Amino acid sequence: MTHNALIDRDRLWADIMALGAITDPARPYTRRSFSALFLEGREWLEQRFRDAGLSTHIDAAGNLVGRREGLDPNAGSIVIGSHSDSVPSGGRFDGMAGVIAGLEIARDLRDHRIELNHSLEVIDFLAEEPSEFGVSCVGSRGITGMLSPVHLALRNKRDEPLDMALIRMGGDPARLEDAVRNDIVAAFELHIEQGPVLEGNELDVGIVTSIVGITRIEVTFQGTAGHAGTTPMTLRRDPLIAAARLIGWIRDTAEAFAMRGQGHFVATTGIVEVLPNASNVIPKTARIVIDARSENRGLMEEFCRKLDTESGEAAEAANVDRVGLNRLSDSMPAGCDPALRGLLHDSAEALGLSCVEMASGAGHDMAFMSLVAPAAMIFIPCKGGRSHTPEEWASADAVAAGTEVVLNAILRLDGKQI
Amino acid sequence: MTHNALIDRDRLWADIMALGAITDPARPYTRRSFSALFLEGREWLEQRFRDAGLSTHIDAAGNLVGRREGLDPNAGSIVIGSHSDSVPSGGRFDGMAGVIAGLEIARDLRDHRIELNHSLEVIDFLAEEPSEFGVSCVGSRGITGMLSPVHLALRNKRDEPLDMALIRMGGDPARLEDAVRNDIVAAFELHIEQGPVLEGNELDVGIVTSIVGITRIEVTFQGTAGHAGTTPMTLRRDPLIAAARLIGWIRDTAEAFAMRGQGHFVATTGIVEVLPNASNVIPKTARIVIDARSENRGLMEEFCRKLDTESGEAAEAANVDRVGLNRLSDSMPAGCDPALRGLLHDSAEALGLSCVEMASGAGHDMAFMSLVAPAAMIFIPCKGGRSHTPEEWASADAVAAGTEVVLNAILRLDGKQI
């Protein structure tokens, strides 16, 4: 594994486990953003940051920042961060591993008495996961000036607006511009892969080329509800037939697009809603939601054009109406910085770790951070590629190896002799 | 329209409207079996039966019977009946039209001083629609000895068993054998078509050849849930892909079977359940429920065999498991009596009404009655073929014409000069 390790594998691991233990006991592992448990986790984290010699504050966008001043006040800041919030019944690594990796790097620098020219910030970005307000990446949006009044007016089920919740988290929605940064020279994030590629190929780390853009499209077909026994086959206007044909086409087309060699492409039909959904009634409406992801915007636009054509043809063939084709959301792909990727690559090589370049199929805070700073991500293998489940797992060695790579890259970026 | 009409069109119509008005006002037209409203409707019906000179009783299976003794005590009984219960938010004709048609025929015989050799019974069969106990055709099952202890132990959401509910309806579950009949020489039912064929072809009545057997099959595919962004297309085990392929195959195959000329065949996928049904998660399971109906049992068995093969192949192609292929229910087709069909045909012709022979794609009490007696059905056109909806509609003329045909056939059966 790693040579001349600077990081303390067991301390890193113990803190990941300790943060994970702050969970809703009824459904481990749950620590939802904006909850009392989330604040409890943050209190623990802030104390850990202070113990590591970092000065701490909550910025206007609700991010917990632990800062270590650099020798050169004009050198700018290096950020390493991720998020401490979880999905419901999620795992202990998605987000948390990256935050604790940052904390560990700060401790290692202190332990080994390494002073950086750059300032170092460890950031726990607020609410990376889809929150109860229906928006994700709240904190990193804030840092990049992308948290809008429309977002701030979103309400949760208790009718609390996001701006009030942000105040509860220690943020300041009235001064959001204070959270926007222009001093960051590099932003790193360590994250579990959440997919099967690294484990399947027995690789130590993945260096992320880009974070996919995600386009969610809702297609609704409408026909005529009818008695399942008395309506002859030839007189039916069954919207499920059009939806079924489209689901098959989406799969076939995504497979073909993925094999083109034009970058990561996946498309999934995850939601199907049939009304009235009764065994003896020909459906009246069928609604599907498609999640398509690509690091190549051109490929995504081509997919959307073809989906438009195909869904229209599927409706016509089934003698039903396509009453909706709506983009529910649409985000651009975000490239990771080539220079930082090079540094991570050199570090992995120097540490004797195998690595591969790969796209991130999941969204991350770094997609927003890349709008204001050079940003890069490193993936570590996770068991079975599983995530967002209590079984989510990465080995202590894997977390340590990834953290070592980031620390090594930070030292290189700061001009240290390795 | 009809000549020398014996029946009173306006009285018949007024009573259909009056029975329909006994409804849950919040969701017309709803009069669910076993409810207080159902008993209110029955009380109204029983009074109407008595006003028509019928003696009334509730049999052990909960059927409301209005009886008019025949001149010949050995001639047996002619039954005309249907059901007064409705689906939730249903219509005013499905079932009700047939019960009131029977009542009207009894009144016409009295008004015109026609004495039959046979006894005549007007029956409101209990709970033809799927009841809150999950079983349909409770009363006609009872008359044919098909109401089993398993049925009687079924419970509704208030944990009341069916046998207790039957007592509330005036039945006697301890003496169910008393309800079984062997004296019926003919059972007639008038019903709206619940489909578009008669209206579409401008026909007055349909003479039912047989009532389809209904086979409900549940197919469940299981794959592996996964992150919609990070799981490459080639590594997916997406059960929805298998389900979508099967839904298309079911439609294509049903169309082909329907065109074979081997009798009525339809198949519908009415229920689709995808888990977890989230836009960013590759589904873990996809479950569909198929409703297939045929008057030809051989055709149904062939369909089921091919469904077995095709669903297995669809699972294999999608690299998922077909974890279930279950017949949820399975009823045999029931032929209508050829002699009674002939009488109905002669009657329609004599009355100058156009008619067609057709299968019933819906289940009816007559499917059970055919097990203990010659049974026959006549369909009348309904607007847009719609049923089980508040918009369900048949014209006063259409109901009157159908009732006239049944009365005419009863007179022929009884040996009267027409």
Side-chain angles (χ1 to χ4, degrees):
Chain A
M1 189 50 79
T2 64
H3 304 288
N4 307 317
L6 293 175
I7 71 112
D8 183 334
R9 189 194 86 138
D10 295 341
R11 180 173 61 183
L12 167 60
W13 182 255
D15 272 355
I16 291 173
M17 291 298 108
L19 180 53
I22 302 172
T23 173
D24 178 349
R27 43 174 196 170
Y29 297 93
T30 302
R31 197 171 53 257
R32 300 285 289 145
S33 55
F34 301 103
S35 68
L37 265 174
F38 176 77
L39 287 174
E40 191 181 329
R42 276 242 164 136
E43 199 174 338
W44 179 90
L45 260 182
E46 188 165 14
Q47 189 55 53
R48 277 290 198 270
F49 282 9
R50 286 192 185 137
D51 294 347
L54 302 173
S55 65
T56 63
H57 73 283
I58 306 283
D59 73 10
N63 300 297
L64 169 62
V65 181
R67 184 173 168 93
R68 183 176 192 263
E69 294 300 330
L71 298 172
D72 178 356
N74 299 316
S77 306
I78 296 172
V79 164
I80 166 156
S82 192
H83 60 94
S84 71
D85 66 315
S86 81
V87 296
S89 299
R92 287 167 287 180
F93 299 87
D94 173 2
M96 283 70 101
V99 176
I100 303 295
L103 165 65
E104 178 57 26
I105 284 171
R107 288 191 294 224
D108 299 327
L109 293 171
R110 182 198 58 188
D111 293 351
H112 296 278
R113 301 176 191 281
I114 301 171
E115 294 294 329
L116 297 180
N117 293 309
H118 298 88
S119 296
L120 180 79
E121 290 189 9
V122 184
I123 304 187
D124 171 27
F125 295 104
L126 178 64
E128 192 266 355
E129 303 289 359
S131 68
E132 58 184 4
F133 300 93
V135 58
S136 62
C137 296
V138 173
S140 55
R141 281 177 203 266
I143 288 184
T144 53
M146 303 282 280
L147 201 58
S148 72
V150 171
H151 291 128
L152 293 174
L154 292 169
R155 286 168 186 269
N156 61 16
K157 284 184 180 165
R158 294 179 306 286
D159 208 36
E160 181 190 34
L162 176 55
D163 56 0
M164 290 295 118
L166 201 49
I167 292 172
R168 279 200 292 112
M169 296 301 106
D172 186 352
R175 304 188 56 177
L176 268 185
E177 65 278 9
D178 291 355
V180 181
R181 303 286 293 268
N182 62 5
D183 63 313
I184 302 171
V185 298
F188 292 99
E189 180 170 9
L190 174 145
H191 207 281
I192 58 168
E193 181 198 342
Q194 305 183 277
V197 175
L198 293 175
E199 186 189 58
N201 294 286
E202 296 184 0
L203 293 162
D204 294 314
V205 291
I207 296 169
V208 175
T209 53
S210 55
I211 300 161
V212 293
I214 306 177
T215 304
R216 296 227 171 97
I217 306 165
E218 170 192 63
V219 183
T220 307
F221 296 105
Q222 188 171 309
T224 306
H227 192 295
T230 60
T231 314
M233 297 309 298
T234 49
L235 297 182
R236 294 180 176 215
R237 298 183 66 240
D238 183 344
L240 179 57
I241 305 306
R245 167 173 160 173
L246 195 60
I247 291 167
W249 177 87
I250 289 160
R251 168 59 177 250
D252 294 343
T253 305
E255 275 190 42
F257 275 35
M259 286 177 65
R260 278 200 193 169
Q262 294 177 280
H264 187 79
F265 189 91
V266 289
T268 308
T269 306
I271 294 178
V272 181
E273 279 174 6
V274 171
L275 290 176
N277 214 35
S279 63
N280 60 346
V281 183
I282 299 163
K284 179 180 183 177
T285 62
R287 172 180 170 267
I288 65 175
V289 177
I290 301 136
D291 175 302
R293 304 183 184 214
S294 181
E295 56 184 316
N296 179 336
R297 185 66 185 177
L299 213 52
M300 180 64 78
E301 290 296 350
E302 183 183 343
F303 178 78
C304 291
R305 276 196 308 276
K306 288 191 163 159
L307 181 71
D308 187 353
T309 304
E310 178 70 18
S311 57
E313 288 175 4
E316 204 175 316
N319 192 26
V320 299
D321 300 315
R322 192 195 68 191
V323 294
L325 177 80
N326 306 312
R327 289 199 195 189
L328 300 177
S329 64
D330 194 11
S331 68
M332 296 292 134
C336 287
D337 183 71
L340 296 187
R341 282 160 55 189
L343 284 180
L344 288 168
H345 195 277
D346 293 346
S347 297
E349 205 160 64
L351 293 164
L353 297 168
S354 57
C355 70
V356 68
E357 298 231 310
M358 62 190 301
S360 168
H364 292 290
D365 289 311
M366 287 302 116
F368 284 97
M369 292 304 288
S370 72
L371 300 173
V372 296
M377 290 192 76
I378 193 159
F379 279 166
I380 60 171
C382 58
K383 194 173 175 185
R386 302 190 70 190
S387 183
H388 287 193
T389 161
E391 285 80 45
E392 184 178 274
W393 187 256
S395 73
D397 281 340
V399 185
T403 306
E404 194 79 48
V405 171
V406 176
L407 171 52
N408 192 287
I410 289 172
L411 294 176
R412 285 169 195 268
L413 181 65
D414 198 63
K416 296 287 180 290
Q417 297 297 326
I418 307 295
Chain B
M1 188 53 78
T2 64
H3 303 287
N4 307 316
L6 293 175
I7 71 113
D8 183 335
R9 190 194 85 139
D10 294 341
R11 180 173 61 184
L12 167 60
W13 182 255
D15 273 355
I16 292 173
M17 291 299 108
L19 180 53
I22 303 172
T23 173
D24 179 347
R27 44 175 195 169
Y29 297 92
T30 303
R31 196 170 54 256
R32 299 286 289 146
S33 55
F34 302 103
S35 68
L37 265 175
F38 177 77
L39 287 175
E40 192 183 328
R42 276 245 165 133
E43 198 174 335
W44 179 90
L45 259 182
E46 188 165 13
Q47 189 55 53
R48 276 292 198 268
F49 282 9
R50 286 190 185 140
D51 293 346
L54 303 173
S55 66
T56 63
H57 73 282
I58 306 282
D59 73 11
N63 300 298
L64 169 62
V65 182
R67 184 172 168 94
R68 182 175 193 263
E69 293 301 328
L71 298 172
D72 179 356
N74 298 317
S77 306
I78 295 172
V79 164
I80 166 155
S82 193
H83 60 94
S84 71
D85 67 314
S86 82
V87 297
S89 300
R92 287 167 286 181
F93 299 87
D94 173 2
M96 284 70 103
V99 176
I100 303 294
L103 165 65
E104 179 56 27
I105 284 171
R107 288 192 292 223
D108 299 326
L109 292 172
R110 182 198 57 186
D111 294 350
H112 295 279
R113 301 177 189 279
I114 301 171
E115 294 295 327
L116 296 180
N117 292 309
H118 297 86
S119 295
L120 180 78
E121 290 190 8
V122 184
I123 304 188
D124 172 26
F125 295 104
L126 178 64
E128 191 266 355
E129 303 289 359
S131 66
E132 58 184 4
F133 300 92
V135 58
S136 61
C137 296
V138 172
S140 54
R141 281 177 203 266
I143 287 184
T144 53
M146 303 281 279
L147 201 58
S148 72
V150 172
H151 291 129
L152 293 173
L154 292 169
R155 287 168 186 269
N156 61 16
K157 285 184 179 164
R158 296 179 304 285
D159 208 36
E160 180 190 34
L162 176 56
D163 56 0
M164 289 297 119
L166 201 49
I167 291 171
R168 279 200 292 112
M169 296 299 107
D172 186 351
R175 304 188 55 178
L176 267 184
E177 66 279 9
D178 291 354
V180 181
R181 303 286 294 268
N182 63 6
D183 63 314
I184 301 172
V185 297
F188 292 99
E189 180 170 9
L190 174 144
H191 207 281
I192 58 168
E193 180 198 344
Q194 305 184 278
V197 175
L198 293 175
E199 185 189 60
N201 294 285
E202 298 185 359
L203 293 162
D204 295 314
V205 291
I207 295 169
V208 175
T209 53
S210 55
I211 300 160
V212 294
I214 306 177
T215 304
R216 294 228 172 95
I217 306 166
E218 171 191 63
V219 183
T220 308
F221 296 105
Q222 187 171 308
T224 305
H227 192 295
T230 60
T231 313
M233 298 308 300
T234 49
L235 297 182
R236 294 181 175 214
R237 299 183 65 240
D238 184 345
L240 179 56
I241 305 307
R245 168 173 159 171
L246 195 60
I247 290 167
W249 177 88
I250 288 160
R251 168 59 178 249
D252 293 343
T253 305
E255 275 191 41
F257 275 36
M259 287 177 64
R260 277 200 194 169
Q262 294 177 280
H264 187 80
F265 189 91
V266 288
T268 308
T269 306
I271 294 178
V272 181
E273 279 174 6
V274 171
L275 291 176
N277 213 37
S279 63
N280 60 346
V281 183
I282 298 163
K284 179 180 183 177
T285 62
R287 172 180 170 268
I288 65 175
V289 177
I290 302 136
D291 175 301
R293 303 182 184 215
S294 181
E295 56 185 315
N296 180 334
R297 185 66 183 176
L299 212 53
M300 180 64 78
E301 289 295 350
E302 183 183 343
F303 178 78
C304 290
R305 277 195 308 276
K306 289 191 162 159
L307 181 72
D308 187 354
T309 304
E310 178 69 20
S311 57
E313 288 175 4
E316 204 176 317
N319 193 27
V320 299
D321 300 315
R322 191 195 69 190
V323 293
L325 177 80
N326 307 311
R327 289 200 195 190
L328 300 178
S329 63
D330 194 11
S331 68
M332 295 292 134
C336 288
D337 183 71
L340 296 186
R341 283 160 53 190
L343 283 181
L344 288 168
H345 196 277
D346 293 345
S347 297
E349 205 160 65
L351 293 164
L353 297 167
S354 57
C355 70
V356 68
E357 299 231 308
M358 63 190 299
S360 170
H364 292 289
D365 289 311
M366 287 303 115
F368 285 97
M369 293 304 288
S370 72
L371 300 173
V372 295
M377 290 192 77
I378 193 160
F379 279 167
I380 59 171
C382 59
K383 194 174 174 185
R386 302 190 71 190
S387 184
H388 287 193
T389 161
E391 285 80 44
E392 184 178 275
W393 187 258
S395 73
D397 282 339
V399 185
T403 306
E404 193 79 48
V405 172
V406 177
L407 172 52
N408 193 287
I410 288 172
L411 294 176
R412 285 167 195 268
L413 181 65
D414 198 62
K416 296 287 179 291
Q417 297 298 324
I418 306 294

